[in-house]
Amino acid sequence: MEPGFQPHQAEAQVARLQAVFSRQRAAWAAAPYPGREERRQALVSLREALLRHADEFCAAISADFGHRSAHETRVLELFPCIEGIRHAEKSLKKWMKSERRPVSKWFMPASNTLIAQPLGVVGIIVPWNYPLYLAIGPLTSALAAGNRVMLKMSEFTPRTGELLARVLSECFHEDQVVAFNGGVEVAQVFSSQPFDHILFTGSTSVGKHVMRAASEHLTPVTLELGGKSPTLVGPEFSVKTAAERILHGKCLNAGQTCVAPDYVFVPEARLAEFVEAAKVAVNGWYPNLPANPDYSAVINERHRHRLEGYLTDAKAQGATIIPLVEGDCSHTGKMAPTIVTGVSDAMKIMQDEIFGPLLPVMTYRNFDEAIAYVNAHPRPLALYLFDYDRERISYVLSHTISGGVALNETVVHVAQDDLPFGGVGPSGMGAYHGKEGFDTFSKKKGVFAQSRVNGLSLLRPPYGKTIETMIKFMLR
Ligand code: NAD
């Protein structure tokens, strides 16, 4: 439970969410198929409200983090929200269109059609690291698909959560879209409602609780989880370019990004060059980093301790810690981007998802060693490869499995509206964004329509010569 959140407030939230769920259900039953114009209007008012309140979102997120650059919030949260909504507005007609499917010759001249139907009332559970984008992204998909939506915001971002709840109440009636705030207690009650679908974004461990709770009602889940995203630098790729692109992806939001490069493999002979290039890049972007407003803070004391613990543990087991900038961050809530070399799987930093600005850099002599390492570990959310060699690219794509891949870049594959986003195995199940998001929140219902004149009567009893002749053809 977040500081200042009293038990009676949690009880009130729980009672309210149960009442709202019933009202949303009743509203859905009364109007189960909102038309295209109604959905488009919902998306337009959401987009306009976000733009109207952009400054307040930047301020609220920064206050929740202890500091987050307003530029980062605009580029990493508001921009993909607005782009995603625009893409949905433009694509609604195509997505909603029913689809004719072929009929086998045995059933002609009947017809087959696939129609997309709103599921009903869906629940969206939001983490703290990108509290706006990870609420609005799934909400966009759910609204495009014609659903009613309840969101549960993270207890670590209470200001952003309160603001979003207020902004959503400006555009939507409570029986259409509503956001709830509160701690784990509220989250548990939230995930145990008989939703028609739950999309959860958060840690793999909490994802298991959500799936367990959802299984009580056989509520389908989309789990957007985390993990350690590997980054491979090919033998001939420019180490300077790779270091810049990797460190850029790592330093955004101080590494608190589900698809941040978690660890890197570089050719053994080029480790020193990589570390040097990383230092130059980071110092160029963030001079006087402790006081630099472009660099974000670590969300809270608990996470700073967790990250410091990784360094202490790695050092005690023989790793080398290389801070990329000078200066003491300890009084600022920030943490310096830091490379760790000489790591092993016995270290906590190589076991947990790092989710902060620490970057283990490992080396290979033969590129296959790096692939073997990746494949010996849980399936990641993202994989990054820096290489222009077509054969190696094709080999890596076909011999590793991950939620998504970016070649010669990090992180920005998430912002591609026409690519599905979702993990595999411990990094998640299902996907959203664009068309896949629409499909995730739709029931794709197959409809078979019999024609006035048809041959199915020939298969009815009493069985005799006609059906025997037909069976000969059917089973040949
Ligand atoms: P978290 O799992 O601790 O919390 C996420 C949400 O779940 C919060 O709203 C929280 O209140 C709620 N929750 C907590 N306990 C619950 C319970 N028992 N039942 C139901 N809900 C519960 O995650 P976090 O610390 O907020 O976020 C960090 C994690 O999220 C990282 O692992 C990161 O990789 C992952 N993440 C994944 C994506 C993605 O798109 N795949 C995006 C961002 C973050």
Side-chain angles (χ1 to χ4, degrees):
M1 189 171 298
E2 75 266 27
F5 203 78
Q6 301 301 317
H8 68 274
Q9 290 175 300
E11 274 172 35
Q13 275 295 55
V14 165
R16 188 171 151 248
L17 92 77
Q18 285 167 332
V20 170
F21 179 82
S22 303
R23 282 204 291 279
Q24 288 211 352
R25 249 296 154 69
W28 170 78
Y33 192 89
R36 176 151 59 93
E37 186 47 31
E38 200 179 325
R39 299 186 199 190
R40 199 188 64 81
Q41 209 42 60
L43 292 168
V44 169
S45 51
L46 178 61
R47 175 165 56 77
E48 289 175 351
L50 291 176
L51 290 172
R52 219 170 33 245
H53 294 280
D55 289 344
E56 288 165 74
F57 278 114
C58 291
I61 292 173
S62 185
D64 281 335
F65 269 71
H67 176 71
R68 154 89 85 78
S69 148
H71 291 89
E72 280 198 347
T73 297
R74 284 179 195 281
V75 174
L76 302 178
E77 303 227 46
L78 282 154
F79 167 71
C81 287
I82 300 299
E83 274 294 292
I85 296 172
R86 281 217 171 91
H87 181 73
E89 286 169 35
K90 279 192 294 208
S91 311
L92 266 182
K93 187 174 176 187
K94 195 168 61 182
W95 293 345
M96 288 175 71
K97 200 164 180 264
S98 59
E99 195 187 322
R100 285 301 279 264
R101 290 288 179 96
V103 182
S104 101
K105 62 176 182 261
W106 303 107
F107 298 99
M108 279 178 183
S111 67
N112 280 337
T113 314
L114 195 59
I115 62 169
Q117 191 170 13
L119 288 170
V121 181
V122 306
I124 293 171
I125 303 177
V126 185
W128 55 263
N129 64 325
Y130 291 98
L132 188 60
Y133 181 43
L134 297 172
I136 300 300
L139 175 61
T140 301
S141 299
L143 285 176
N147 295 280
R148 291 167 189 271
V149 185
M150 293 168 64
L151 297 111
K152 155 70 181 73
M153 302 299 289
S154 168
E155 59 276 26
F156 290 162
T157 50
R159 296 168 189 85
T160 312
E162 288 302 333
L163 175 61
L164 185 66
R166 181 160 61 74
V167 169
L168 290 176
S169 72
E170 282 174 16
C171 341
F172 299 104
H173 192 270
E174 217 177 45
D175 67 15
Q176 189 179 4
V177 179
V178 65
F180 289 87
N181 286 281
V184 172
E185 204 174 320
V186 175
Q188 283 168 334
V189 176
F190 187 93
S191 57
S192 65
Q193 299 305 301
F195 285 114
D196 297 299
H197 193 97
I198 292 179
L199 185 145
F200 167 81
T201 306
S203 58
T204 301
S205 57
V206 175
K208 290 180 190 173
H209 290 298
V210 170
M211 195 166 172
R212 212 170 286 129
S215 73
E216 271 307 305
H217 307 285
L218 293 179
T219 295
V221 290
T222 300
L223 301 179
E224 297 285 341
L225 310 175
K228 295 180 82 62
S229 296
T231 305
L232 314 176
V233 180
E236 294 111 30
F237 197 89
S238 155
V239 163
K240 177 174 177 291
T241 304
E244 283 169 0
R245 295 179 189 177
I246 294 166
L247 267 296
H248 180 231
K250 186 69 175 181
C251 289
L252 292 172
N253 205 24
Q256 300 163 111
T257 303
C258 58
V259 289
D262 191 277
Y263 62 88
V264 182
F265 266 104
V266 298
E268 188 177 49
R270 308 182 74 187
L271 174 62
E273 196 188 332
F274 182 89
V275 171
E276 198 42 45
K279 273 188 186 163
V280 172
V282 171
N283 283 284
W285 299 328
Y286 307 110
N288 187 16
L289 182 134
N292 192 311
D294 294 342
Y295 188 72
S296 296
V298 172
I299 182 88
N300 58 28
E301 201 57 32
R302 202 183 90 196
H303 279 280
R304 270 195 300 281
H305 272 126
R306 179 180 63 80
L307 292 163
E308 280 158 10
Y310 293 155
L311 293 181
T312 312
D313 171 69
K315 198 172 173 188
Q317 296 197 58
T320 304
I321 313 296
I322 310 169
L324 296 178
V325 298
E326 310 260 314
D328 180 15
C329 283
S330 55
H331 58 289
T332 63
K334 297 180 183 178
M335 197 167 188
T338 302
I339 281 181
V340 186
T341 60
V343 293
S344 77
D345 272 14
M347 299 171 186
K348 288 287 279 174
I349 197 168
M350 293 313 296
Q351 295 166 3
D352 298 351
E353 174 184 4
I354 296 172
F355 221 56
L358 314 179
L359 185 67
V361 182
M362 297 196 275
T363 60
Y364 64 83
R365 282 187 186 161
N366 181 330
F367 190 68
D368 287 345
E369 294 163 24
I371 304 286
Y373 183 92
V374 169
N375 284 333
H377 290 79
R379 296 172 166 192
L381 184 57
L383 181 140
Y384 302 113
L385 171 64
F386 288 82
D387 213 327
Y388 289 117
D389 181 286
R390 280 174 185 274
E391 247 178 62
R392 222 169 11 242
I393 293 172
S394 160
Y395 184 84
V396 172
L397 291 179
S398 56
H399 286 73
T400 62
I401 179 161
S402 57
V405 171
L407 298 174
N408 306 326
E409 194 46 272
T410 59
V411 173
V412 294
H413 62 296
V414 178
Q416 309 310 308
D417 289 315
D418 271 319
L419 285 182
F421 179 65
V424 53
S427 61
M429 64 176 71
Y432 72 117
H433 288 192
K435 171 77 160 71
E436 278 76 11
F438 178 89
D439 289 348
T440 286
F441 290 111
S442 298
K443 166 62 191 158
K444 301 300 285 282
K445 191 157 73 179
V447 180
F448 171 86
Q450 184 60 288
S451 66
R452 284 173 202 274
V453 182
N454 66 81
L456 272 197
S457 58
L458 300 176
L459 297 178
R460 292 186 194 137
Y463 298 131
K465 278 243 173 325
T466 313
I467 197 168
E468 279 165 18
T469 313
M470 286 187 72
I471 286 172
K472 262 190 209 148
F473 273 109
M474 290 163 86
L475 301 184
R476 78 192 184 285

